[in-house]
Amino acid sequence: MEPWAIWLIAAGILLIVEVCTQMMWALCMTVGALAGMALSLLGVPVIWQVTGMAATAVGTYAAVLPVFRRWHRRRSEHAARTGMDALLGRRATVTHEIKPGALGRARIDGDSWQVRAPGAGHTIPAGTEVSVTAYDSIILTVEELKTI
């Protein structure tokens, strides 16, 4: 059997392991095995094929790790909060002005919510972006976003 075919079979097996386990190392090893196959097709000796496979797998791991960490962090931040807690920190657009000491309305993802802005000493006009800071029952407490 040709060495390139062995590398291709190894890449296929590692890809199946990646799909079944969702472990990032298997994906990196798959890319490394494909690099080993490419080196084999170029006629490079086996020792350099294995070295190229290892170097490519480590390089892929180093390049992909920050992306996976960022994705996992973003995903876990949203997954940890449910119900009303999921609204905390979200941005909303004021649809009915919020007067001092009175309720207004704001829209988040197509839903209209009653809101109040206790920290604002002025009327917040419709169309202004606000951030949800707290809630009491079904009334959200918001603060106006600072514009730069």
Side-chain angles (χ1 to χ4, degrees), residues 29-40:
M29 294 291 286
T30 301
V31 174
L34 292 174
M37 181 188 77
L39 291 172
S40 174

Side-chain angles (χ1 to χ4, degrees), residues 2 6 19 42 51 56 93 101 109 115 139 142 144:
E2 295 290 323
I6 295 170
V19 169
L42 292 173
T51 304
T56 303
T93 304
D109 294 336
V115 295
I139 299 173
V142 297
E144 198 170 359

Side-chain angles (χ1 to χ4, degrees), residues 58-73:
V58 169
T60 302
Y61 186 81
V64 173
L65 184 62
V67 174
F68 275 105
R69 280 190 177 159
R70 193 174 324 118
W71 175 76
H72 181 68
R73 190 176 325 117

